């Protein structure tokens, strides 16, 4: 039985991944633009610079998984900007050599899988487990979230090959999709950026697809209706779980409406899933649509999520 649209909106609104983003209001002092990565003008384009810290409980319970996640999240952030990642720098604190070795093994494995080298870092043996990493890339025509505008088509793109990590909200394609494909999947973002088929993007992270879209809308000072009936979903996965899932490859993008079909083909010809799933508007709220009914997830005009934008 299909879950009622009002219940779906409440699930998104109450998800821990979305609620955790409210703490980002603390970084407004740095005048950040809220994108997935920072852009530094360089030559004829931009350096793309980003960093991620992995949740300490994850580092303690699954050292190799945390190491891999440090790579994957950074690569996704560079890709979301329409960039090509160049290298990873990691910092690891481990209570002992065995834990450190497992973290570094996860980092090395994901680095090789995605074709982004580890070019430096720091290791401390002794202390509470902690893992973070930073990535540098390059972009010529960045996909800035602020570029989304009313009238744009909304696109969702995913790799649907994969599985969940137990009951956790993480859907990973890393051990399912062919490594040769994973090394080039992200070039789809570069292609839609440089061709002008899309002009804004955000990677789907802890808040899930709807929550990540909400972050993009806040930066752009726009609203949108997400048609969940058109959302690409892995076989056998229920919508209410997928809406709050953090996939290893997932992005929301804004495209001129006349370019949306061509933009989707850039992903689908690589064996990825991509669909036009809604429209961006000027109403400053995120709504879900299902079966002709609509429910509001968040009204940014009444209650900012992070205040960044």
């Amino acid at each position: 039985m299909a879950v009622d649209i009002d219940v779906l909106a409440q699930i998104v609104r109450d998800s821990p991944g979305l609620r955790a983003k409210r703490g980002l209001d603390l970084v407004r002092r740095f005048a950040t633009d809220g994108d997935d990565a920072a852009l530094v003008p360089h030559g004829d384009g931009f350096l793309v610079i980003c960093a991620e810290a992995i949740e300490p409980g994850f580092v303690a319970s699954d050292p190799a998984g945390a190491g891999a996640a440090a790579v994957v999240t950074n690569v996704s952030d560079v890709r979301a900007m329409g960039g090509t990642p160049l290298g990873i720098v990691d910092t690891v604190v481990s209570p002992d050599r065995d834990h450190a070795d497992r973290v570094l093994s996860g980092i090395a494995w994901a680095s090789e899988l995605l074709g982004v080298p580890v070019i430096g870092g720091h290791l401390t043996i002794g202390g509470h487990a902690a893992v973070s990493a930073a990535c540098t890339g390059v972009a010529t025509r960045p996909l800035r979230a602020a570029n989304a505008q009313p009238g744009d088509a909304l696109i969702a793109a995913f790799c649907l090959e994969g599985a969940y990590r137990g009951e956790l909200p993480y859907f990973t394609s890393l051990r399912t999709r062919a490594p040769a494909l994973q090394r080039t999947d992200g070039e789809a973002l570069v292609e839609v950026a440089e061709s002008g088929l899309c002009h804004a993007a955000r990677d789907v992270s802890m808040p899930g697809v709807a929550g990540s879209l909400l972050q993009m809308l806040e930066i752009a000072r726009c609203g949108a209706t997400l048609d969940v009936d058109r959302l690409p979903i892995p076989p056998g996965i229920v919508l209410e779980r997928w809406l709050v899932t953090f996939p290893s490859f997932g992005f929301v993008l804004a495209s001129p409406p006349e370019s949306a079909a061509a933009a989707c083909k850039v992903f689908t010809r690589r064996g990825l899933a991509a669909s036009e799933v809604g429209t961006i508007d000027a109403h400053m709220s995120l709504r879900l649509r299902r079966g002709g009914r609509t429910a509001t997830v968040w009204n940014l005009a009444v209650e900012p999520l992070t205040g960044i934008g």
Side-chain angles (χ1 to χ4, degrees), residues 57-69:
F58 185 20
V59 179
S61 63
D62 186 357

Side-chain angles (χ1 to χ4, degrees), residues 228-252:
V228 297
D229 289 328
R230 300 167 68 182
L231 194 66
I233 302 177
I237 304 302
V238 294
L239 176 62
E240 55 267 33
R241 187 178 192 189
W242 186 243
L243 278 176
V244 292
T245 288
F246 185 174
S248 58
F249 186 99
F251 299 88
V252 288

Side-chain angles (χ1 to χ4, degrees), residues 126-149:
H128 296 293
V131 175
S132 60
C135 188
T136 299
V138 291
T140 58
R141 195 171 182 177
L143 294 170
R144 299 175 187 264
N147 288 344
Q149 55 190 316

Side-chain angles (χ1 to χ4, degrees), residues 29-309:
R29 69 191 74 185
F30 298 115
T32 175
D33 60 14
D35 272 318
D36 284 300
L39 295 170
V40 179
H42 182 71
D44 294 331
F46 297 86
L47 292 177
V48 185
I49 304 170
C50 60
E52 292 279 349
I54 306 303
E55 195 274 321
F58 185 20
V59 179
S61 63
D62 186 357
V71 175
V72 173
T73 53
N74 273 287
V75 170
S76 291
D77 282 350
V78 172
R79 291 304 196 183
M81 300 300 293
T84 299
L86 298 178
I88 295 278
V89 175
D90 63 81
T91 62
V92 178
V93 179
S94 286
D96 52 60
R97 287 178 58 89
D98 177 66
H99 182 275
D101 183 63
R102 285 185 285 166
V103 171
L104 294 172
S105 293
I107 291 173
W109 175 76
S111 168
E112 172 66 21
L113 179 70
L114 299 179
V116 183
V118 175
I119 55 176
H122 174 83
L123 171 63
T124 296
I125 304 293
H128 296 293
V131 175
S132 60
C135 188
T136 299
V138 291
T140 58
R141 195 171 182 177
L143 294 170
R144 299 175 187 264
N147 288 344
Q149 55 190 316
D152 281 346
L154 176 63
I155 293 170
F158 296 95
C159 178
L160 300 183
E161 302 170 38
Y164 280 96
R165 294 177 62 87
E167 297 302 313
L168 298 172
Y170 306 122
F171 182 87
T172 176
S173 305
L174 300 181
R175 295 188 181 278
T176 306
R177 188 160 171 81
L181 297 177
Q182 293 192 62
R183 291 188 191 102
T184 60
D185 282 344
E187 288 299 302
L189 279 300
V190 177
E191 184 174 341
V192 297
E194 293 185 352
S195 64
L197 293 174
C198 294
H199 48 231
R202 182 122 197 150
D203 79 315
V204 178
S205 59
M206 282 300 298
V209 59
S212 298
L213 171 60
L214 181 63
Q215 286 186 276
M216 185 172 82
L217 295 175
E218 183 172 40
I219 295 166
R221 300 187 60 79
C222 293
T225 299
L226 173 62
D227 189 339
V228 297
D229 289 328
R230 300 167 68 182
L231 194 66
I233 302 177
I237 304 302
V238 294
L239 176 62
E240 55 267 33
R241 187 178 192 189
W242 186 243
L243 278 176
V244 292
T245 288
F246 185 174
S248 58
F249 186 99
F251 299 88
V252 288
L253 306 100
S255 168
E258 66 275 11
S259 302
C264 288
K265 287 180 181 178
V266 173
F267 292 92
T268 57
R269 73 165 184 260
R270 288 176 163 85
L272 301 164
S275 298
E276 187 177 343
V277 294
T279 305
I280 294 176
D281 57 54
H283 298 305
M284 289 291 291
S285 66
L286 172 62
R287 299 164 302 282
L288 304 183
R289 177 185 293 127
R290 186 179 205 184
R293 294 192 61 230
T294 302
T296 298
V297 173
W298 203 289
N299 186 338
L300 292 164
V302 174
E303 183 181 11
L305 178 66
T306 69
I308 297 173

